Amino acid sequence: MDEVATPCARMVAMNAIISATELASDLAGQRPLVLLDVRWQLTPPGAAPFDGRAAYEAGHIPGAVYVDLDRGLAGAPGAAGRHPLPDLAEFGAAMRRAGVLAGTPVVVYDGGQCWAAARAWWLLRWTGHPDVRVLDGGLTSWTGPLSTDVPAPAEGDFEPAPGAGGLLDADGAAALARSGVLLDARAGERYRGEVEPIDRVGGHIPGAVSAPTTENVTADGRFLPADQLHARFKALGATEDTAVGVYCGSGVSAAHEVLALAVAGIPAALYVGSWSEWSSDPQRPVAVGPDPQ
């Protein structure tokens, strides 16, 4: 899939994140803004799923509209992974119901981890929205009032138009691991194959480099400064002049790493199927241990 194996330059955006102070100022201003709450948490097999809507209804940033990651930002789990791409017509309809307009800035937040928010950011940017930012630190960084009022926004007009790059499939990820830099955003022990709590087998795509998402942020969950992120990724081999891709377990935390790369000024493609798709096929090779190969 050649057209999707090339990182998409338009995914790079130095203003891809926004602070709580900046968001409060924007909300108080005259310029229209669409605010999306996409609270979500990964739960282990057998555990009760996190109820993002209940959390939203208990209190959210005033004006925010709730979007369910599993229903609005991903397709049904299966051979393509636990969080495959959503049907684009359904994604567009979900965004329009949330009031997303093609010419109006969008800010997305979650509970604080920013994984789900980054997934929404990536999808909107990949499908052509020009102005999307993630609340740095998520709801935990917000010190303003919360609301239990559920807004009913007017129907938006956003129509998804996927870009020619920025997306990887399994074959593209394997090729990029050989020709460029493929980053594995999962925890190091999963990359090494020491533990695998969710998928069929542990390990990593041969040639991929371990780059845990947790090392993109400070202790309070906010992104490291752009220069520090740039230095981190450069040490891993990822620069503006290198073809870079990212995967994780199911294409959610990897979106966070694509966002961190964007903050650092480095374009990167996302392998949405990620390890949940790769490892489901016993014919695909698996590497274990700390060495990429």
Side-chain angles (χ1 to χ4, degrees):
M1 193 177 292
D2 294 339
E3 68 173 4
V4 297
T6 302
C8 182
R10 75 178 184 179
M11 298 299 293
V12 175
M14 294 304 290
N15 63 343
I17 57 176
I18 183 173
S19 70
T21 300
E22 291 169 328
L23 176 58
S25 177
D26 284 359
L27 290 173
Q30 299 300 313
R31 187 184 183 196
L33 176 71
V34 176
L35 188 59
L36 303 180
D37 182 315
V38 291
R39 271 178 276 182
W40 169 89
Q41 290 179 14
L42 177 65
T43 52
F50 173 76
D51 192 338
R53 177 167 286 280
Y56 164 81
E57 292 177 350
H60 51 266
I61 298 176
V65 178
Y66 178 71
V67 175
D68 188 307
L69 183 146
D70 290 315
R71 293 178 174 84
L73 306 178
R82 286 192 305 279
H83 291 105
L85 281 177
D87 176 87
L88 290 183
E90 294 179 4
F91 169 66
M95 292 298 97
R96 291 190 293 276
R97 285 194 300 272
V100 174
L101 297 158
T104 299
V106 177
V107 172
V108 192
Y109 73 88
D110 57 27
Q113 196 174 37
C114 291
W115 288 7
R119 172 69 175 232
W121 168 85
W122 181 84
L123 270 170
L124 282 165
R125 291 303 307 276
W126 178 63
T127 54
H129 199 289
D131 191 347
V132 190
R133 290 171 291 172
V134 168
L135 176 59
D136 194 14
L139 188 61
T140 57
S141 70
W142 178 256
T143 58
L146 297 178
S147 173
T148 57
D149 293 335
V150 177
E155 183 85 0
D157 63 4
F158 178 69
E159 293 286 349
L167 177 67
L168 293 169
D169 60 11
D171 290 339
L176 189 58
R178 297 188 298 269
S179 64
V181 176
L182 182 65
L183 301 178
D184 184 317
R186 297 172 301 158
E189 58 269 25
R190 292 184 69 189
Y191 170 88
R192 295 187 295 270
E194 297 165 0
V195 299
E196 182 43 65
I198 304 173
D199 294 312
R200 185 185 67 83
V201 64
H204 58 269
I205 297 173
V209 177
S210 181
T213 297
T214 52
E215 296 179 18
N216 296 328
V217 297
T218 61
D220 62 4
R222 291 177 173 85
F223 283 95
L224 295 170
D227 59 345
Q228 292 184 32
L229 285 170
H230 191 276
R232 182 202 179 206
F233 292 123
K234 182 178 180 181
L236 294 169
T239 70
E240 301 91 329
D241 301 320
T242 308
V244 180
V246 189
Y247 75 95
C248 59
S250 65
V252 178
S253 66
H256 183 280
E257 190 129 292
V258 173
L259 176 57
L261 283 153
V263 172
I266 302 170
L270 176 65
Y271 174 24
V272 174
S274 283
W275 190 248
S276 59
E277 178 188 35
W278 183 276
S279 64
S280 68
D281 184 348
Q283 299 302 312
R284 294 194 182 106
V286 171
V288 296
D291 188 275
Q293 300 300 331

